[in-house]
Amino acid sequence: MGWEQLSALVFRPKVAELLVNTVLLVAIGVPATVVLGVGGAWLVERTTLPGRGVFKVALAAPLAIPAFVASYGWASAIPAMSGLWAAVLVATLAYFPLVYLPALAAIRGLDPALEESARSLGMGSWAVFFRVVAPQLRLAVLGGALVVALHLLAEYGAFAFLRFDTFTTAIVVAYESMFAGPNAAALGLVLALLCLILLGAESAARGRARYARVGGGTPHPAETLGLGRLTVPALAAMVAVLAGALVVPLASVVRWLMRADAAAFGDVGIAALQTLGLALAGAVCTIAVALPFAWLAVRYPGRLSWLLEGAAYLASSLPAIIVALSFVAVTLAFAPSLYQTAFTVVAAYVVIFLPRALVPLRAGLSQVPESLEEAARALAVPPAAARLRVTVPLLLPAIGAGAALVALGAANELTATLLLAPTGTSTVATSFWSAASALDYPTAAPYAVLLVLLSVPAVALMFTHATGRTLR
């Protein structure tokens, strides 16, 4: 595709419309998730909100409902829902926990002595929050906001249900109507550019500022603040958010499940088995690729390891639809026999979910002392055998956590699986989408339940990590 053809495809009214839709969605949706996420974390962690222990868990629960399942619930309950504001509502309610969890972890780690000093100088509660607390939450909130923005760019199913056009929905439509044509490639190029702009903006906003407690003594637990007259409005806000994020989608799923006949459950077992096969293969291959990255980063830190790790994170930050289109183009050009095979699907999962394996592996490896391997080698154990017999057993929990996160993400992946899966393959996500997009809501309901159940372990892991609790 030459420059003339590319410019004709990029600089046209339809692309301008998609750009406006996507920018408005990000510009409205991201601040809304920040308000809900930070506000919720502050209320459950630092105030006397009644039932805050229950709300603390419940505010993370919407992550267990994939956004396209939440959209299915809303669209089937209110068929007239469509357009920008419907997309903002559903996306905000589905993604605000991505800000809530890092904000909750950051608030729990704050030193309350700074807030007490500010109050002793005459600052009110609002001034303490905005001048003392908010700056210390900046890194956590920026990270969460970036993840939300990338999800908004990549989301397909949720916005397709609401008949709201973004670059991702337009790319899938272009792919389905014209195969891997120049139109889909040009739209993908603009979407990738938007993604890189977001990464650059977040990096610039993050800057070099770091906040940490220094000095003697140990931090003590923070005092909880009385809400007074704000107790009822705060409770009403929490209930309204959870009703929109949990009750409406789950009630719709249960309603359609009650109407499903025996035929709706006929292929659920096959879809679950195919999902399990692809997810496990994706987890094993991703761990195998991530291990050398983590090993280099921990044991041999330097420019090369930094570049390799950064490249892995950058590739994975691109929307899944871009990764899928890249695999379509590469396999058709250089290895047509691999097009729409399980190998291509698993390879795409490796690229998309590599950070999910890399983060726990890096953390786990950094906690394994090298001196243990050196002691084994001093006892005449060959280096490879020393790693296998000493380091790998200590690394097994990190390997297990990374594999679980990758497998759970792969089980819910929709767009890459739709484009790359072999003909006849039906995962839980693609089966749900096939039935729901044909408005066969009862048939889609069993798959929706499975998708929610598959997401629960990953959300539990994220919540325990954010709150510092342990799973029992």
Side-chain angles (χ1 to χ4, degrees):
M1 180 168 53
W3 168 250
E4 289 187 2
Q5 186 182 6
L6 178 62
S7 60
L9 289 170
V10 171
F11 299 106
R12 56 194 173 107
K14 180 61 179 177
V15 176
E17 178 191 338
L18 295 174
L19 186 62
V20 170
N21 284 354
T22 305
V23 170
L24 283 176
L25 181 67
V26 173
I28 301 172
V30 172
T33 58
V34 169
V35 170
L36 290 186
V38 176
W42 180 257
L43 285 172
V44 300
E45 190 62 31
R46 288 297 184 86
T47 72
T48 56
L49 182 76
R52 61 195 184 113
V54 176
F55 284 120
K56 185 180 292 185
V57 178
L59 287 175
L63 273 184
I65 306 175
F68 54 88
V69 174
S71 185
Y72 151 83
W74 275 94
S76 61
I78 309 174
M81 279 190 70
S82 64
L84 172 64
W85 293 108
V88 168
L89 173 66
V90 173
T92 300
L93 293 174
Y95 290 132
F96 81 86
L98 294 173
V99 179
Y100 165 74
L101 286 176
L104 181 65
I107 290 173
R108 290 173 67 89
L110 293 181
D111 183 359
L114 294 174
E115 300 159 50
E116 293 164 2
S117 299
R119 288 195 185 90
S120 69
L121 294 174
M123 285 189 186
S125 296
W126 289 107
V128 169
F129 180 82
F130 285 107
R131 297 179 62 180
V132 178
V133 176
Q136 298 180 79
L137 301 181
R138 188 162 65 95
L139 296 181
V141 173
L142 281 173
L146 174 65
V147 175
V148 170
L150 293 175
H151 274 78
L152 293 178
L153 291 185
E155 181 57 47
Y156 164 66
F159 302 139
F161 270 125
L162 299 170
R163 300 182 293 280
F164 180 66
D165 291 335
T166 65
F167 278 105
T168 301
T169 61
I171 289 170
V172 174
V173 171
Y175 179 85
E176 290 176 344
S177 61
M178 301 178 63
F179 199 47
N183 187 24
L187 293 174
L189 190 63
V190 179
L191 182 58
L193 184 60
L194 284 175
C195 178
L196 294 177
I197 290 173
L198 280 176
L199 291 173
E202 191 273 342
S203 177
R206 181 168 17 105
R208 295 181 180 277
R210 299 292 184 270
Y211 303 95
R213 184 180 189 276
V214 295
T218 55
H220 57 82
E223 293 182 7
T224 52
L225 303 176
L227 289 174
R229 290 178 299 177
L230 295 177
T231 300
V232 173
L235 265 178
M238 295 291 244
V239 170
V241 168
L242 292 177
L246 291 175
V247 176
V248 173
L250 292 180
S252 292
V253 170
V254 171
R255 178 167 66 99
W256 292 115
L257 190 64
M258 299 290 286
R259 298 185 184 183
D261 54 21
F265 295 85
D267 295 329
V268 171
I270 296 173
L273 285 176
Q274 293 187 342
T275 301
L276 188 64
L278 287 174
L280 288 179
V284 170
C285 292
T286 306
I287 291 293
V289 173
L291 263 175
F293 281 80
W295 194 278
L296 275 176
V298 175
R299 295 293 172 88
Y300 305 98
R303 189 169 297 178
L304 175 63
S305 61
W306 181 81
L307 285 173
L308 288 174
E309 196 176 8
Y313 283 115
L314 181 61
S316 300
S317 66
L318 295 174
I321 188 74
I322 301 296
V323 176
L325 283 177
S326 303
F327 273 94
V328 169
V330 169
T331 52
L332 287 178
F334 302 105
S337 60
L338 294 178
Y339 175 66
Q340 285 195 329
T341 61
F343 174 85
T344 315
V345 178
V346 172
Y349 287 167
V350 171
V351 175
I352 294 169
F353 299 114
L354 188 57
R356 294 194 184 203
L358 197 49
V359 170
L361 283 178
R362 201 179 193 282
L365 199 54
S366 65
Q367 294 176 339
V368 178
E370 287 188 67
S371 57
L372 295 179
E373 278 188 38
E374 293 169 358
R377 288 199 294 270
L379 296 172
V381 178
R387 293 190 186 103
L388 193 62
R389 293 166 59 182
V390 176
T391 303
V392 170
L394 295 174
L395 202 55
L396 282 179
I399 292 175
L405 289 174
V406 172
L408 292 168
N412 286 337
E413 215 295 315
L414 178 62
T415 49
T417 311
L418 277 175
L419 266 62
L420 299 174
T423 303
T425 300
S426 297
T427 66
V428 175
T430 59
S431 298
F432 164 81
W433 180 250
S434 176
S437 59
L439 303 182
D440 188 359
Y441 294 142
T443 301
Y447 299 104
V449 173
L450 260 182
L451 287 167
V452 173
L453 294 177
L454 285 171
S455 301
V456 168
V459 176
L461 278 174
M462 294 168 69
F463 180 77
T464 53
H465 177 74
T467 58
R469 297 181 180 183
T470 55
L471 288 172
R472 295 180 180 179

